[in-house]
Amino acid sequence: MSAVNSLPELTARKQVIDKHTNIATVLLSEIKERLLDSFAKKEYDMMVRGGIDRSELLGVLRGKGSKMDKLRFSIMYLISSESINQAEVESVEAALRESEVDTRAFQYVKKIKALNVSLASANSASRSNIVDWAEKLYGQSISAVTAGVKNLLSNDRQLALTRTVEALMEGKPNPEIDSYLVFDPRAPKSSSGMSSSHLKGPFKEAIVFMIGGGNYVEYGSLQELVQRQQSVKHVIYGTTEILTGEEFVEQLALLGQKMGLGGAPPAASTQ
């Protein structure tokens, strides 16, 4: 009787398990078909090493994967490379065109990368105010930011955003947050009218708001930060919009289009 009575519950559990199994099977099939695990591994290797072997790079672009996979991989190559090899970049563009990939996003990132490299090599005295402002905002030079995505990750792959929030909530002197502005109406004003350069922590609550696109990775990283704290802390993450990787690439393509860069693949003609 006990076994018979538990049959409805067991049947319901089996249905849930079957659904999850079906989802996992479809995901695994997609990963294998597009070699997403290989893309992820090679992207991480590029971030760590600051580049990738040319033959390996072109092999990925001419192998399996969707057009978006190859475009994102190419953009990661640009961002993670310490310097721009013009011949190599041209080979990448040719490989993308062979796969009929819209290169506007790639062209835009290449343009910004080249601009940042030229700014880094210029005399610091000739830099514009906006560059100086950006350096103060991020606490490091733009050239250092664009030298590679690995600069935004620590050894344990903690995001720069998470490191910054953790340091601000601790409220202790830290070179990573020395350039951040502090506005506290309760703190004594300095001669410039601004509050003290350091927050007096620690703090148990924080609101993190990104002006511009945010993403689930940042949100998840902040949640992990809260979970590993000994004391109870609360962090609210907000942004003007949540973007997937594909949506971010589409925004880059739109910027490239407005700058007249690259081009969409030719449309197939119909009779």
Side-chain angles (χ1 to χ4, degrees), residues 13-28:
R13 286 185 180 180
K14 183 179 181 303
Q15 290 175 347
V16 172
I17 293 174
D18 287 343
K19 288 179 182 178
H20 284 270
T21 303
N22 292 337
I23 293 172
T25 302
V26 172
L27 288 174
L28 183 59

Side-chain angles (χ1 to χ4, degrees), residues 195-258:
S195 305
S196 170
S197 59
H198 292 296
L199 292 167
K200 301 297 187 291
F203 298 93
K204 294 183 178 180
E205 298 179 350
I207 299 175
V208 182
F209 195 90
M210 307 298 290
I211 305 297
N215 56 75
Y216 185 78
V217 175
E218 290 177 340
Y219 168 77
S221 182
L222 290 173
Q223 292 303 306
E224 291 176 0
L225 168 66
V226 171
Q227 292 171 6
R228 68 170 180 264
Q229 298 295 316
Q230 293 182 346
S231 58
V232 178
K233 293 189 176 182
H234 300 280
V235 176
I236 298 175
Y237 176 79
T239 174
T240 48
E241 59 180 333
I242 293 288
L243 295 176
T244 64
E246 185 170 342
E247 289 170 338
F248 180 61
V249 171
E250 289 172 355
Q251 288 190 354
L252 294 177
L254 180 60
L255 292 171
Q257 179 182 351
K258 290 182 177 181

Side-chain angles (χ1 to χ4, degrees), residues 5-162:
N5 291 334
S6 63
L7 270 177
E9 181 183 352
L10 293 175
T11 301
R13 286 185 180 180
K14 183 179 181 303
Q15 290 175 347
V16 172
I17 293 174
D18 287 343
K19 288 179 182 178
H20 284 270
T21 303
N22 292 337
I23 293 172
T25 302
V26 172
L27 288 174
L28 183 59
S29 175
E30 188 75 5
I31 290 171
K32 286 185 175 181
E33 178 64 26
R34 293 164 56 188
L35 296 180
L36 294 180
D37 53 334
S38 178
F39 274 101
K41 182 180 183 304
K42 292 182 186 300
E43 285 179 1
Y44 176 71
D45 290 343
M46 281 196 297
M47 290 189 288
V48 172
R49 287 159 30 193
I52 186 174
D53 180 74
R54 182 173 180 174
S55 60
E56 185 179 7
L57 170 64
L58 296 179
V60 172
L61 297 179
R62 289 172 178 152
K64 289 185 176 182
S66 68
K67 294 179 182 180
M68 181 59 68
D69 295 334
K70 295 177 180 180
L71 178 57
R72 289 174 62 178
F73 187 79
S74 301
I75 292 174
M76 288 295 298
Y77 152 74
L78 274 181
I79 297 175
S80 61
S81 298
E82 298 289 349
S83 58
I84 295 180
N85 183 317
Q86 193 59 39
E88 198 168 80
V89 171
E90 290 176 358
S91 299
V92 171
E93 292 179 25
L96 290 175
R97 286 193 292 270
E98 287 176 12
S99 298
E100 299 182 343
V101 176
D102 185 342
T103 61
R104 288 175 294 190
F106 181 85
Q107 295 284 354
Y108 177 75
V109 175
K110 184 181 75 169
K111 184 81 172 179
I112 296 301
K113 175 83 174 183
L115 176 62
N116 290 336
V117 170
S118 63
L119 286 173
S121 61
N123 189 296
S124 59
S126 64
R127 293 186 181 182
S128 64
N129 291 334
I130 188 65
V131 177
D132 295 332
W133 172 84
E135 290 183 354
K136 292 177 182 178
L137 177 64
Y138 291 102
Q140 54 186 334
S141 67
I142 289 183
S143 60
V145 174
T146 55
V149 175
K150 63 181 184 296
N151 291 333
L152 299 180
L153 303 172
S154 63
N155 292 334
D156 60 355
R157 299 200 62 174
Q158 187 181 50
L159 297 181
L161 171 67
T162 308

